[in-house]
Amino acid sequence: MGYSRHDPAAQGRAAWNAGKTVGTKRPLTQKQIWAIRFFVDREGRLRDRALFDLAIDSKLRGCDLVKIKIGDVVAGAEIRTRAIVVQQKTGRPVQFELTADVRASLLSWLERRGGAVADYLFPSRVDHTNHMSTRQYARLVDEWVSAIGLRSAEYGTHSLRWTKAAMIYRATGNIRAIQILLGHTKIENTVRYLGVDVEDALLLAERTEI
């Protein structure tokens, strides 16, 4: 980034974040999750429903989500109840659950999609041997949130990554569990990710009787 001033081709080029809200994106609420599911179901978009559901359950970064292969979520003729992938950012494996509704949407998509276990679950529409790009995934998320009346500037792919984690944290207050689910190497990252502050800590303490 610091060398752009020396690159003639970069002169006059708008910054990547020009006009965008940069920072932590909001997680979705349960009501918003169901609204997006209703929208994609009404449009008959099986791929989008499967992608959205898997994003919520897996809690993966977009770069890892788009690279999931059919074999990662399928065992024989069944959809796995748990899956594991190696994170691109950390190089470490992370496990995630696949709940019943998500397994159903994945099965519906795979029945239409077909393919072998070595194929990407969500192929690129330009090159079917490659995976969907993170840019395309981000465009879809923008479309989904806009369709239910939300401001796309306030939501993004990271919203889907931490939606379920935020719900689990609010229900349990267990930061260590969230660290494991998100695949963070340091718990300090999880604390910053969740925006835990003094007020959160006090509320958890008030709910704990000894």
Side-chain angles (χ1 to χ4, degrees), residues 8-203:
Q11 300 301 314
R13 183 187 300 164
W16 69 271
N17 57 353
K20 297 181 180 179
T21 301
V22 179
T24 303
K25 300 296 185 179
R26 295 184 180 184
L28 297 172
T29 65
Q30 188 70 62
K31 182 178 180 180
Q32 290 164 348
I33 290 171
W34 283 107
I36 289 175
R37 284 173 171 166
F38 178 80
F39 164 71
V40 295
D41 285 349
R42 185 187 63 196
E43 299 293 314
R45 294 158 66 166
L46 293 181
R47 182 204 62 177
D48 287 15
R49 173 63 189 267
L51 178 62
F52 175 74
D53 283 351
L54 184 58
I56 296 291
D57 255 13
S58 70
K59 302 167 286 292
L60 291 172
R61 297 177 182 88
C63 60
D64 295 321
L65 180 69
V66 297
K67 291 178 183 175
I68 287 181
K69 295 188 175 181
I70 293 175
D72 293 328
V73 298
V74 169
E78 303 289 332
I79 303 295
R80 299 176 187 269
T81 56
R82 290 185 180 181
I84 183 169
V85 300
V86 176
Q87 300 172 101
Q88 177 178 299
K89 184 175 182 179
T90 66
R92 296 186 177 186
V94 64
Q95 293 189 65
F96 54 90
E97 74 289 352
L98 294 171
T99 53
D101 285 345
V102 177
R103 294 198 302 272
S105 62
L106 285 172
L107 185 60
S108 295
W109 163 238
L110 285 170
E111 286 175 346
R112 173 183 290 182
R113 189 234 182 281
V117 293
D119 294 336
Y120 289 108
L121 183 58
F122 303 107
S124 165
R125 287 183 172 174
V126 177
D127 176 8
H128 288 185
T129 63
N130 207 344
H131 58 77
M132 173 189 292
S133 69
T134 52
R135 185 178 295 272
Q136 174 63 11
Y137 172 44
R139 282 197 293 263
L140 287 170
V141 173
D142 283 350
E143 182 181 353
W144 299 336
V145 298
S146 298
I148 65 168
L150 300 178
R151 294 185 65 245
S152 60
E154 296 178 357
Y155 297 85
T157 59
H158 239 53
S159 296
L160 276 59
R161 169 162 160 77
W162 80 289
T163 286
K164 194 167 185 177
M167 291 180 179
I168 295 170
Y169 172 70
R170 284 195 295 268
T172 67
N174 190 331
I175 296 179
R176 172 58 180 160
I178 304 306
Q179 179 192 7
I180 293 170
L181 293 171
L182 292 175
H184 285 161
T185 54
K186 297 180 180 179
I187 201 164
E188 291 86 350
N189 296 336
T190 310
V191 171
R192 287 197 301 271
Y193 200 83
L194 292 172
V196 177
D197 55 22
V198 174
E199 183 63 23
D200 292 324
L202 289 173
L203 287 173

Side-chain angles (χ1 to χ4, degrees), residues 1-15:
M1 292 188 297
Y3 296 100
S4 60
R5 68 182 186 277
H6 303 301
D7 181 6
Q11 300 301 314
R13 183 187 300 164

